[in-house]
Amino acid sequence: SAKDAAEDKAAKLEGQLEDANKCNAELSDQMSKLQSANDDVLKQLEEKESELEGTKSELAATKEDASSAALQLSEEVNELRSAKDAAEDKAAKLEGQLEDANKCNAELSDQMSKLQSANDDVLKQLEEKESELEGTKSELAATKEDASSAALQLSEEVNELRSAKDAAE
């Protein structure tokens, strides 16, 4: 009776202890699995952290390269702007020179027209003078012929007068 009750209680406690031991073994097994999974997760975390550090370094290098490239591009843009400004200044100066040259060409063209007109007038006067010279040459030739005839006639008259003088003497 009391012994039986104590034995029943002891058997019951032994069963509970055995169940508890089984639970403990299962929990210990689960804990080992969890520890192994935790170790795997920690290893993956370390790998990801290492990969993250590499990516951060690569990102920093890329940012530095991009910053350097942006600075270089900014300098090139400034150089191109300066070159553009210089080209625009030169173009404006050349346009002014072209405008001056066009004015000069117009003035020279006007002067050439006036000179051509004056040249035409001089050529016309030259033709008139040549025509007048030809007339004068013709008059001179006629006058020479007349003078030659007159000289011949005078020479004959002088000879007659000499003959008459010789005969009168």
Side-chain angles (χ1 to χ4, degrees):
S1 344
K3 184 177 176 187
D4 287 337
E7 282 181 10
D8 280 343
K9 196 170 188 180
K12 196 175 188 185
L13 285 174
E14 280 180 7
Q16 286 177 346
L17 180 61
E18 197 175 305
D19 288 343
N21 282 338
K22 282 183 188 178
C23 261
N24 280 342
E26 285 176 14
L27 285 173
S28 181
D29 214 21
Q30 285 179 354
M31 233 164 116
S32 288
K33 288 179 184 176
L34 281 174
Q35 185 64 43
S36 176
N38 191 25
D39 290 344
D40 289 344
V41 167
L42 282 174
K43 187 176 180 183
Q44 289 175 358
L45 180 62
E46 287 173 0
E47 289 173 358
K48 292 298 178 187
E49 283 178 348
S50 175
E51 186 179 331
L52 179 62
E53 285 301 314
T55 302
K56 282 181 179 180
S57 294
E58 190 177 328
L59 177 62
T62 302
K63 281 182 179 179
E64 189 174 318
D65 289 347
S67 176
S68 176
L71 180 63
Q72 186 177 359
L73 285 174
S74 177
E75 289 172 359
E76 288 178 17
V77 165
N78 287 337
E79 288 174 14
L80 288 172
R81 282 185 181 144
S82 294
K84 177 186 168 242
D85 291 344
E88 286 175 348
D89 290 346
K90 188 172 185 176
K93 185 177 180 181
L94 289 173
E95 285 175 358
Q97 289 175 345
L98 178 62
E99 191 175 309
D100 291 346
N102 284 338
K103 286 178 184 175
C104 185
N105 282 343
E107 289 172 9
L108 288 173
S109 183
D110 287 345
Q111 288 177 359
M112 192 166 133
S113 293
K114 290 175 183 175
L115 287 174
Q116 184 66 45
S117 178
N119 190 37
D120 290 345
D121 291 345
V122 168
L123 285 174
K124 193 174 189 180
Q125 290 174 6
L126 178 63
E127 288 175 4
E128 290 172 359
K129 292 293 179 184
E130 284 177 346
S131 179
E132 188 179 322
L133 178 61
E134 286 301 315
T136 303
K137 281 181 179 179
S138 296
E139 283 180 37
L140 179 61
T143 303
K144 278 184 179 180
E145 196 175 303
D146 289 346
S148 183
S149 290
L152 184 59
Q153 189 179 3
L154 280 175
S155 179
E156 287 175 5
E157 284 177 17
V158 167
N159 284 337
E160 283 175 21
L161 284 174
R162 275 189 192 157
S163 293
K165 180 181 167 193
D166 286 341
E169 281 181 9

